[in-house]
Amino acid sequence: AEYMGKSSATGTKSKKKETESFLKNIVASAMDLVSGDGAPGVPATASAASAGESEEPTRTIYLPSLKRFCDMAAEKAVDLGLVLLYDSEHKRIRVELPGPVMPPEGQPHPWIDALPYYNAYANCDPDDEESKAYVFQELLLLCQAKMSPLGNFAEVRPMLRPRLRLLSQLELFDMQCELKGDDVVEIPHRVVAEEPTVVAELCVDRGDTIAVVTEHHIRAWNKPFAPLLDELIAELERASSPGKWRRQPDETGCWLAQYRDGFDATRFLCPALVRALHVPGVPVVMVPHNEVLLVAGSDDPRMLKAMFDTMVALFTKVPDPVCGIWTLDSRDKWVPWTPPPEPEAIARMAKNLAARGLGQQYHSQKRLLD
């Protein structure tokens, strides 16, 4: 006010305009300060006019307060069926869980640190609406992940298991979501073999049900997928007794895993268990079903024939069995096995199985499209 008085006394018009603009900005800052939760607005850009150069008021763009930013996120979350509340004491967003997935008594609702997202929003160009929208999108994705019905990580960790699946099955699932207009569900996975492509994923085994771990769960638990998968594979290998195998159909036949826990085929991820069988030549493996793991030796035609005969018999018992045939390379990686030309009967059986498996995949995709 003192400055304004002096400016009026001099009668300098441009000085008065500059001062009025200055005071308007101060008032705007004060209004932002008292309208939020005590956190002032943060100037995004400011361009002060030099005295006497312009009659236009100074234009300053202000970001919302942290509380207002969280309120904006809560407004957008309504469309997703989420209820978000701002915790001003800890500067975080609380995700209110509905009745069916309420946390246990005494346990807090899940929460998200709001500051990293607020800072990302602050770093966006004021006119870049796309980048601002992306910040809210990432924040809301994490909020959705916090709604995980599988439970918190400490609760599900003892039930986590690695599992094998055909990549084509995941692709079919994506197609179903797209055709129905549903949101695509990302399932983190690692390719472990080709022709056909087999991937390793994570699941929660509750005994009577198995739930697939999605990208939402990985986000909610804040546990990177790759090291978690490696850890679970190592646990499975340590827990697998080397004696739980039998010859199929007799003592000259192939090896059949007998763990009977629903994850026999998952031992495919443990090359040391396969090598411990000491088969003639290199190990040749098939995993037609989650509960079936067959191993033969490349140099033993009787073992190979027994494995292929077992596989053919499974076509009448298992829906859409996996028909891939793999062997271990020098780095303990699974690669497609190419049968030698002799014996001719073995080579023919292997090629027929491969063709049959490919036909099954095409049939499944066509059935879905039809």
Side-chain angles (χ1 to χ4, degrees), residues 152-161 203-205 232 235:
N152 60 52
F153 184 73
E155 176 191 344
V156 303
R157 177 61 182 83
M159 297 177 283
L160 278 176
R161 302 284 186 272
C203 67
V204 177
D205 178 20
L232 291 169
E235 284 183 7

Side-chain angles (χ1 to χ4, degrees), residues 6 15-16 25 63 67 77 81-82 87 167 179 199 203 217 234 289 318 324 333 336 340 359 369:
K6 290 180 180 179
K15 199 68 173 177
K16 181 178 178 180
N25 291 332
L63 289 171
K67 179 181 184 303
L82 299 174
D87 178 356
L167 180 61
L179 291 172
V199 300
C203 67
H217 301 122
H289 186 264
V318 176
K333 302 295 183 184
L369 291 172

Side-chain angles (χ1 to χ4, degrees), residues 39-255:
V42 181
T45 60
S47 56
S50 301
E53 289 183 3
S54 173
E55 297 292 330
E56 295 296 324
T58 303
R59 175 177 177 266
T60 304
I61 300 173
Y62 279 83
L63 289 171
S65 66
L66 180 58
K67 179 181 184 303
R68 178 57 192 146
F69 171 79
C70 294
D71 288 344
M72 292 163 65
E75 292 164 7
K76 296 177 184 295
V78 171
D79 294 336
L80 301 174
L82 299 174
V83 177
L84 308 184
L85 297 178
Y86 175 58
D87 178 356
S88 60
E89 181 181 355
H90 300 98
K91 293 183 171 53
R92 63 192 188 187
I93 296 173
R94 191 174 73 179
V95 184
E96 292 289 292
L97 297 179
V101 286
M102 280 288 289
E105 186 176 351
Q107 295 296 315
H109 286 262
W111 56 268
I112 296 166
D113 185 0
L115 285 174
Y117 294 92
Y118 180 68
N119 291 337
Y121 186 92
N123 286 329
C124 294
D125 186 281
D127 298 321
D128 188 354
E129 297 300 326
E130 185 177 346
S131 294
K132 292 179 184 178
Y134 180 75
V135 173
F136 281 118
Q137 176 186 326
E138 288 297 300
L139 173 57
L140 294 179
L141 276 174
L142 184 56
C143 290
Q144 283 183 309
K146 294 290 184 180
M147 300 288 288
S148 163
L150 293 183
N152 60 52
F153 184 73
E155 176 191 344
V156 303
R157 177 61 182 83
M159 297 177 283
L160 278 176
R161 302 284 186 272
R163 189 171 70 158
L164 292 184
R165 196 202 286 250
L166 278 176
L167 180 61
S168 60
Q169 293 174 334
L170 298 184
E171 293 169 344
L172 280 174
F173 179 70
D174 290 343
M175 289 174 64
Q176 288 175 325
C177 291
E178 185 177 349
L179 291 172
K180 293 178 181 178
D182 296 337
D183 292 334
V184 174
V185 177
E186 287 187 60
I187 300 177
H189 58 269
R190 175 191 295 169
V191 174
V192 295
E194 300 281 2
E195 297 183 23
T197 304
V198 175
V199 300
E201 62 181 10
L202 301 181
C203 67
V204 177
D205 178 20
R206 297 186 184 276
D208 55 343
T209 60
I210 290 181
V212 176
V213 173
T214 70
E215 188 63 35
H216 281 332
H217 301 122
I218 294 296
R219 284 172 176 261
W221 297 334
N222 194 28
K223 296 291 182 181
F225 169 75
L228 181 56
L229 176 62
D230 291 336
E231 183 180 322
L232 291 169
I233 292 172
E235 284 183 7
L236 180 67
E237 184 171 329
R238 288 194 298 269
S240 299
S241 168
K244 291 193 174 181
W245 297 80
R246 71 175 174 85
R247 303 295 285 266
Q248 169 69 24
D250 53 38
E251 289 304 313
T252 64
C254 63
W255 287 106

Side-chain angles (χ1 to χ4, degrees), residues 288-305:
H289 186 264
N290 281 331
E291 299 183 13
V292 181
L293 172 60
L294 302 168
V295 182
S298 61
D299 292 345
D300 191 328
R302 289 180 301 178
M303 292 186 78
L304 290 169
K305 184 178 185 303

Side-chain angles (χ1 to χ4, degrees), residues 165-172 175 193-198 315 319-326 353-369:
R165 196 202 286 250
L166 278 176
L167 180 61
S168 60
Q169 293 174 334
L170 298 184
E171 293 169 344
L172 280 174
M175 289 174 64
E194 300 281 2
E195 297 183 23
T197 304
V198 175
F315 276 102
D320 299 332
V322 180
C323 296
I325 309 172
W326 298 278
L353 284 173
R356 190 165 181 176
L358 190 60
Q360 280 184 330
Q361 292 185 55
Y362 283 136
H363 177 68
S364 298
Q365 292 179 350
K366 182 180 183 301
R367 185 171 53 201
L368 178 62
L369 291 172

